[in-house]
Amino acid sequence: MSINDGLSEFLTDVSCGLPSSWDWQQPVIIGVSGGADSMALLFSLAELSRQEENPSVAVAHVEYDLRPEATRDREFVVRHARGLGFPCYWIKVCVREAAKKQPGLGTEAVARQLRYDFFTKVALEVGARHVAVGHTRDDQAETILHRLLRGTGLGGVAGMAGARELCEGVSLVRPLLKIRRQMPRKFLESIGQEWQEDASNNQLCFARNFLRHHVLAEAELGPYPAVVESLVRFGEQASVAVSSRSRLIEELIEKSVEQRPDGGIIIHQKRVGDDTDIMPEALIEIWRRKGWPRQELSSRHLKLLTAMIFFGSLRKNTAPQAVDLPGGIHARLMRNGLSIQGHG
């Protein structure tokens, strides 16, 4: 592989996209579909690994039952991974069957879930701390716009994180997240490396494709040439706001929540102050930490619990004294606060 000086900048950008915890001596996994972005990630990380002593790199690929070309793509990825001297772990998954069992999720969401489940499995098997995937800056803009139009909170429009926990001890890393989509293709062309085109990426029946080819492309070529950068910048500003809000939530939980020996909690009314606006989010975080079922915990439940905490003292009696919540969770007012108990 020969890389000209102009595209050495691409390698520098990829390297800058790696987290400080990245360690070449520990196994790292590269998720590769065969498309341009993931192939550029594969070859750029392969080049960067050559500068390290005894790097440990493996490739993971998921073959879906959605396209007749899927087997071709898998063979393509396996061949190039082995050509680079990397082991390749792959699996064939039945997305259609899995989707039938989860009617609330779309095909794309189920496929993503299966993909990350497999990446997690491989990482745990080989002892990898990082799994790298090829999302670009354009993918980030699409994600932010998709979530905004679908209806999301501030956390949703913050977009994808450069790194996030995939499972305990394993991080999902996006080294290309600050790189525009055309750069991986230019990089591959410069080294004479091919990639696979997924014809389904042009089908406008999929929401992401509609936004990519119809909304963002026309906006960028028309009256909004900076649409991608504007959306990403908006996401970055939202991320800062979310981080600040997360700190407030952490402080609220720290000062007001008492853990009980029986596994329940007490939220002390005198310690919560006047943070009524962040209490619903604090409750969601409490549920997450306790491992209580959150799927059926609606905004109505969160508003009710907030009212009990702030306005439900025994003297005012402006809120219910007790309430049963989804998943066998029970909340009741006590003199010193709100007691919330799981089903055991």
Side-chain angles (χ1 to χ4, degrees):
M1 177 167 57
S2 175
I3 301 173
N4 60 40
D5 292 338
L7 283 170
S8 64
E9 182 180 350
F10 179 78
L11 292 178
T12 300
D13 289 342
V14 173
S15 180
C16 290
L18 298 175
S20 58
S21 57
W22 186 272
D23 185 353
W24 288 105
Q25 276 64 59
Q26 294 220 358
V28 295
I29 306 295
I30 307 173
V32 182
S33 67
D37 298 337
S38 65
M39 290 300 291
L41 178 64
L42 171 62
F43 278 90
S44 59
L45 290 181
E47 181 68 16
L48 291 171
S49 73
R50 291 191 177 96
Q51 305 169 18
E52 305 295 328
E53 184 177 352
N54 299 320
S56 179
V57 182
V59 171
H61 174 82
V62 178
E63 178 183 342
Y64 304 109
D65 63 340
L66 301 175
R67 301 182 299 115
E69 304 86 4
T71 299
R72 176 207 65 186
D73 293 350
R74 182 251 302 166
E75 293 172 346
F76 175 83
V77 171
V78 171
R79 182 171 71 253
H80 283 287
R82 290 176 178 170
L84 291 168
F86 301 153
C88 185
Y89 301 88
W90 65 273
I91 188 174
K92 185 172 183 177
V93 297
C94 299
V95 179
R96 292 187 178 91
E97 286 300 317
K100 291 178 183 177
K101 299 176 182 177
Q102 303 181 77
L105 294 178
T107 301
E108 293 174 283
V110 172
R112 181 169 57 251
Q113 182 183 82
L114 293 171
R115 179 168 65 251
Y116 287 146
D117 285 348
F118 178 64
F119 289 168
T120 300
K121 179 176 181 291
V122 173
L124 294 175
E125 285 181 356
V126 304
R129 292 178 56 200
H130 298 94
V131 177
V133 292
H135 293 125
T136 66
R137 197 167 184 82
D138 294 73
D139 293 316
Q140 181 74 296
E142 291 167 11
T143 297
I144 292 168
L145 183 58
H146 174 63
R147 293 176 178 176
L148 188 62
L149 293 176
R150 187 181 58 187
T152 185
L154 193 62
V157 293
M160 299 179 287
R164 70 165 178 83
E165 185 179 75
L166 187 60
C167 68
E168 186 175 357
V170 181
S171 294
L172 183 74
V173 180
R174 299 181 172 99
L176 309 185
L177 202 56
K178 294 187 179 297
I179 300 173
R180 289 297 305 270
R181 180 174 288 140
Q182 64 267 27
M183 293 309 298
R185 287 156 176 76
K186 289 182 178 179
F187 171 76
L188 292 173
E189 290 169 354
S190 75
I191 62 175
Q193 174 56 49
E194 59 184 346
W195 65 87
Q196 299 296 316
E197 291 288 359
D198 183 349
S200 67
N201 286 335
N202 295 317
Q203 296 176 5
L204 299 184
C205 59
F206 295 111
R208 294 292 292 262
N209 292 344
F210 174 79
L211 293 177
R212 177 182 304 173
H213 299 297
H214 201 58
V215 178
L216 289 172
E218 291 188 19
E220 195 166 31
L221 291 173
Y224 304 104
V227 60
V228 169
E229 294 303 321
S230 296
L231 283 168
V232 171
R233 185 167 58 251
F234 174 60
E236 290 170 348
Q237 293 169 350
S239 180
V240 172
V242 168
S243 296
S244 176
R245 200 168 180 85
S246 295
R247 286 193 294 272
L248 292 176
I249 290 170
E250 179 68 30
E251 292 171 3
L252 176 63
I253 292 174
E254 182 69 23
K255 70 181 181 182
S256 66
V257 177
E258 175 189 346
Q259 300 292 333
R260 293 168 46 177
D262 60 4
I265 63 168
I266 295 177
I267 302 177
H268 291 273
Q269 291 168 324
K270 293 183 179 180
R271 301 179 189 173
V272 295
D274 57 357
D275 295 320
T276 57
D277 61 327
I278 65 170
M279 180 53 74
E281 294 170 74
L283 288 166
I284 291 174
E285 177 62 16
I286 290 169
W287 250 248
R288 186 192 68 80
R289 295 184 185 186
K290 299 298 291 185
W292 293 338
R294 291 182 291 155
Q295 190 171 10
E296 297 180 8
L297 188 69
S298 67
S299 59
R300 181 180 63 83
H301 295 126
L302 295 172
K303 289 179 182 178
L304 181 59
L305 290 172
T306 300
M308 292 173 73
I309 293 167
F310 286 94
F311 313 114
S313 69
L314 295 177
R315 291 171 305 187
K316 294 179 181 179
N317 197 29
T318 58
Q321 296 300 297
V323 62
D324 290 322
L325 300 162
I329 309 300
H330 183 73
R332 64 186 177 92
L333 281 170
M334 303 174 66
R335 291 190 177 277
N336 58 340
L338 182 68
S339 170
I340 306 178
Q341 180 68 51
H343 55 73

